Amino acid sequence: MFKKSLLVATLLLSATVTSTYWAYEEVNCSSKAVYSEYSCTQCFNWWEVSKWTNISFLDDLWVNDTWVKKIMYKEEQTMPVMTALNWSEIKKSPNSDSFWEYTSEFNALLDNSLDWYVLPAWKTISWLKSAMWAWFMVDKTPAKWQDVWILVYDITSHNILESGEVATNNTPHKECVVYTSWENTVPPVVEQPKPEPKPVPEKMTEVKTWPEMYFLILLMAFALSLVVMNRKVILEKIKK
């Protein structure tokens, strides 16, 4: 059993970088439906990732666990593909074919006379890796424990038969790595509609009294002025 390796660099808000070297855990391909969806023949599970997780320094092994030699043609190979799952979002840099490159260990296996790469029996090498400074970054994650990405490596190689002939009916080996979400996505803030104001009931009809009060005040003022003007007459009558 072989475990894939990578370096995970988590970018912190303080612009510092912390890196940890881990290994992929190999799991049964029946453990997740997504492995079947991508026709995976060897399956790995990367633990959980969260927003801003930076994944880099990826590599892939070419394993020959048989008694015969294996060969590989570059033109038959497909570069690994990282696919977002469950509406997650990823960033890739560089976003081009230069993301992946062959290792010097793999290039040393070239048979110049036949233009193929020969892997001896019971030999394992790192044949493909991500370029220096190449990375994938988590930009958005789904709910916790849901699958975030699947990284698929395709390897097409052939056995060299005892007769020296090359087997041509080999099934491509498809290795898949699934990443799951460590954190819940913060739901977008949805502004609640403001409740409509309740209608104010109309006031009962009130009797308008201000004109009567106005005339009453005038009448009192007139009476008071009469009293003031005739106070002498009124006092004399009181004395009598």
Side-chain angles (χ1 to χ4, degrees), residues 124-208:
T124 298
I125 66 161
S126 174
W127 75 285
L128 190 71
K129 66 178 182 178
S130 57
M132 185 67 70
W133 310 119
W135 49 259
F136 293 106
M137 182 181 288
V138 181
D139 202 33
K140 180 182 177 183
T141 62
K144 195 170 184 178
W145 310 128
Q146 286 192 346
D147 297 331
V148 178
W149 303 337
I150 183 168
L151 179 57
V152 179
Y153 296 87
D154 284 292
I155 305 176
T156 301
S157 62
H158 307 272
N159 292 336
I160 299 180
L161 305 178
E162 292 181 1
S163 61
E165 296 180 355
V166 177
T168 58
N169 59 344
N170 287 31
T171 302
H173 183 58
K174 184 171 287 190
E175 302 171 5
C176 302
V177 184
V178 168
Y179 302 75
T180 55
S181 175
W182 171 249
E183 60 189 357
N184 286 319
T185 300
V186 179
V189 178
V190 179
E191 204 172 308
Q192 297 295 330
K194 294 181 180 179
E196 295 183 1
K198 295 181 179 180
V200 179
E202 293 184 3
K203 292 183 179 180
M204 295 178 63
T205 304
E206 296 178 353
V207 179
K208 297 180 180 180

Side-chain angles (χ1 to χ4, degrees), residues 37-96:
E37 293 172 13
Y38 284 81
S39 304
C40 306
T41 56
Q42 189 176 13
C43 302
F44 299 86
N45 180 54
W46 175 248
W47 300 340
E48 295 79 29
V49 294
S50 56
K51 191 172 183 181
W52 308 121
T53 299
N54 180 291
I55 302 202
S56 55
F57 295 97
L58 298 155
D59 73 342
D60 190 35
L61 300 178
W62 183 17
V63 180
N64 185 358
D65 53 2
T66 70
W67 293 99
V68 299
K69 295 179 181 179
K70 286 184 177 291
I71 65 167
M72 185 188 293
Y73 299 96
K74 279 187 176 180
E75 57 269 22
E76 289 183 341
Q77 309 312 313
T78 302
M79 293 297 102
V81 176
M82 180 79 87
T83 303
L85 304 172
N86 295 317
W87 300 283
S88 62
E89 294 179 4
I90 58 177
K91 290 180 179 177
K92 177 184 176 184
S93 177
N95 192 13
S96 65

